[in-house]
Amino acid sequence: MSDDFELDTDDLTRRMEGAIANLRVELASLRTGRASGSMLEPVMVDAYGSMTPINQVGTVNVPEPRMVTINVWDKGLVGKVEKAIRESGLGINPQLNGTIIMLPIPELNEERRRELTKVAGQYAESARVAIRNLRRDGMDQIKKAKSDGLSEDDQKFWEATVQEVTDLHIKLVDETVETKQAEIMQV
């Protein structure tokens, strides 16, 4: 068994990339004072008996830097979409115009910017924890292989490889969140 062990670092890397992709989606949902259709991605609407993303019940547009519009396809869902936006915690007050919901994006004050940077930091910490858990899984596979006869040199090689991949992805998380926090604090 000792010569046959090979850790699937591609799988480990892919799973860590998934944690970073999830972080990017979470960060995109944070409001930075500029209108963006992605800020509505986490908002779900109770439509047709199930929770549905807003972009599946209407067309999301950004006609101006401080305005997002949603053209709801089914007139009966306008109220539910409006309610979902109000209850989403985005701090946006929807305005109705027939089947079109307009979302004027207010200027962020200093206090709200600081809150949003803290939230971004929490998202980043969740991503770091996910990456560390994947690192632990890789290390557990190596320990199991060691008990099955993996040489100490091979064990050290694989542990160093897993640590390298982990460090790279933790650094990516840090860079991503620093960029987002700078964007949030920008006036």
Side-chain angles (χ1 to χ4, degrees):
M1 171 74 193
S2 64
D3 294 334
D4 299 339
F5 178 77
E6 185 164 333
L7 186 67
D8 189 354
T9 54
D10 290 341
D11 179 56
L12 203 58
T13 300
R14 182 185 51 76
R15 290 165 59 198
M16 287 183 183
E17 293 289 340
I20 290 174
N22 187 45
L23 171 67
R24 287 190 175 123
V25 167
E26 287 176 330
L27 290 178
S29 71
L30 287 180
R31 218 163 43 86
T32 59
R34 285 192 302 270
S36 164
S38 63
M39 63 195 280
L40 296 173
E41 283 180 9
V43 180
M44 302 296 265
V45 179
D46 182 13
Y48 313 115
S50 66
M51 296 309 279
T52 311
I54 280 189
N55 63 2
Q56 292 182 14
V57 296
T59 308
V60 178
N61 290 313
V62 184
E64 303 170 22
R66 295 208 161 280
M67 178 73 70
V68 176
T69 60
I70 306 161
N71 189 356
V72 183
W73 300 319
D74 182 351
K75 229 178 188 172
L77 292 177
V78 173
K80 290 182 177 184
V81 172
E82 180 189 18
K83 181 180 178 198
I85 293 167
R86 284 189 198 282
E87 294 175 353
S88 68
L90 288 173
I92 300 173
N93 192 16
Q95 299 169 353
L96 293 178
N97 184 2
T99 59
I100 296 176
I101 299 173
M102 296 180 293
L103 307 172
I105 310 299
E107 190 72 45
L108 292 175
N109 62 21
E110 186 70 23
E111 182 182 338
R112 183 69 177 140
R113 287 180 195 280
R114 291 191 194 287
E115 285 175 26
L116 288 174
T117 57
K118 287 178 186 172
V119 171
Q122 290 168 353
Y123 288 162
E125 188 54 36
S126 296
R128 286 186 204 103
V129 167
I131 289 170
R132 288 185 199 118
N133 286 340
L134 292 168
R135 174 189 175 273
R136 189 188 63 229
D137 292 348
M139 292 299 191
D140 289 347
Q141 289 177 28
I142 295 167
K143 284 180 188 162
K144 184 180 179 308
K146 172 118 171 77
S147 67
D148 290 343
L150 182 69
S151 73
E152 200 166 313
D153 286 346
D154 287 346
Q155 177 191 7
K156 291 205 182 311
F157 168 78
W158 287 113
E159 284 177 351
T161 303
V162 168
Q163 189 60 48
E164 245 176 67
V165 170
T166 303
D167 291 345
L168 174 76
H169 286 86
I170 293 286
K171 185 176 175 213
L172 269 171
V173 166
D174 292 342
E175 289 170 359
T176 303
V177 78
E178 282 173 19
T179 302
K180 184 63 175 188
Q181 286 176 331
E183 183 182 315
I184 289 170
M185 291 308 290
Q186 190 177 41
V187 179

